Amino acid sequence: MPRKLSNALTPLAVKNAKPGRHADGGGLNLLVKETGARSWVFRFMLRGKSRDIGLGAASGRDAISLASARDAAAALRLKVKAGVDPLA
């Protein structure tokens, strides 16, 4: 059984992350592409289907901070828990 993560990432870890998907916990992931582009993704499961929502860039001029990404993921988690599809 996978262990549950909670706030696993730090701002320094976000900055230095290698390419791949890095979990912060609660469905929040940092996606780092081979080009170095970084983005926040919220992954959730609703009615047996896994879905991803892009929350925005994690680096660059219009970057979303780790704290803001966690807040956005928390708001989306509440919607999913209530049975509402955030993508609809």
Side-chain angles (χ1 to χ4, degrees), residues 42-53 72-88:
F42 176 68
R43 176 171 275 186
F44 66 97
M45 183 163 293
L46 188 64
R47 298 182 198 98
K49 291 186 179 183
S50 180
R51 315 267 316 258
D52 287 351
I53 297 177
L76 291 170
R77 258 192 314 278
L78 290 175
K79 286 184 178 184
V80 171
K81 189 173 182 179
V84 177
D85 186 355
L87 289 173

Side-chain angles (χ1 to χ4, degrees), residues 17-70:
K18 303 286 184 209
R21 186 180 286 259
H22 306 276
D24 184 55
L28 180 62
N29 293 281
L30 172 67
L31 181 62
V32 182
K33 296 186 179 180
E34 291 291 331
T35 62
R38 299 165 194 284
S39 59
W40 295 110
V41 177
F42 176 68
R43 176 171 275 186
F44 66 97
M45 183 163 293
L46 188 64
R47 298 182 198 98
K49 291 186 179 183
S50 180
R51 315 267 316 258
D52 287 351
I53 297 177
L55 301 178
S59 64
R61 195 170 43 118
D62 297 326
I64 296 174
S65 69
L66 174 59
S68 296
R70 285 177 178 162

